[in-house]
Amino acid sequence: MKKFLKLTSVALLLVLVFLPSRQALAAPAVHDGQVVLGDTYTLESGETLTGDLLVFGGEAFIEAGAKVDGSVVLFGGVLTIEGEVTGDVSAIGAVVILGPAAYIHGD
């Protein structure tokens, strides 16, 4: 019974992970943005990211003079903001470091 429950749980998890990604590939893009999965992302000074930044278990750096024209969501990991975010910043189980030049328009 335990083996069946484990196999069913894994199968359900795979369906929940891959089904939305297939639909997202078929649908036209509504806006740009960046998704980071367990990696490091740096938005360098002078650059602008149009859309939301979504980080799962990685690190993200928004340097001074850089701008995220959207929101930033972080699930586990570290986010360092030295630049500007026009939307909200949300973090769950993560560390957010705001530098002296950080400016967040939203919550």
Side-chain angles (χ1 to χ4, degrees), residues 41-55:
Y41 176 79
T42 301
L43 187 62
E44 296 180 357
S45 181
E47 293 182 339
T48 299
L49 174 65
T50 303
D52 298 331
L53 174 60
L54 180 59
V55 181

Side-chain angles (χ1 to χ4, degrees), residues 74 77-81 89-91 94-98 104:
L74 181 69
V78 178
L79 170 65
T80 303
I81 302 175
V89 175
S90 302
V95 175
V96 177
I97 301 167
L98 299 177
I104 301 171

Side-chain angles (χ1 to χ4, degrees), residues 1-105:
M1 184 67 179
K2 283 186 175 184
K3 193 173 199 175
F4 176 74
L5 184 59
K6 286 182 183 179
L7 289 175
T8 305
S9 299
V10 170
L12 180 61
L13 179 64
L14 290 174
V15 167
L16 291 174
V17 168
F18 290 111
L19 184 62
S21 66
R22 289 188 51 156
Q23 292 176 351
L25 291 174
V30 176
H31 59 81
D32 295 330
Q34 182 70 37
V35 177
V36 179
L37 298 172
D39 204 0
T40 301
Y41 176 79
T42 301
L43 187 62
E44 296 180 357
S45 181
E47 293 182 339
T48 299
L49 174 65
T50 303
D52 298 331
L53 174 60
L54 180 59
V55 181
F56 288 99
E59 289 184 84
F61 301 96
I62 302 169
E63 295 181 352
K67 179 180 178 182
V68 176
D69 194 12
S71 295
V72 179
V73 178
L74 181 69
F75 293 99
V78 178
L79 170 65
T80 303
I81 302 175
E82 294 282 341
E84 181 180 359
V85 177
T86 62
D88 298 330
V89 175
S90 302
I92 298 173
V95 175
V96 177
I97 301 167
L98 299 177
Y103 185 66
I104 301 171
H105 295 263

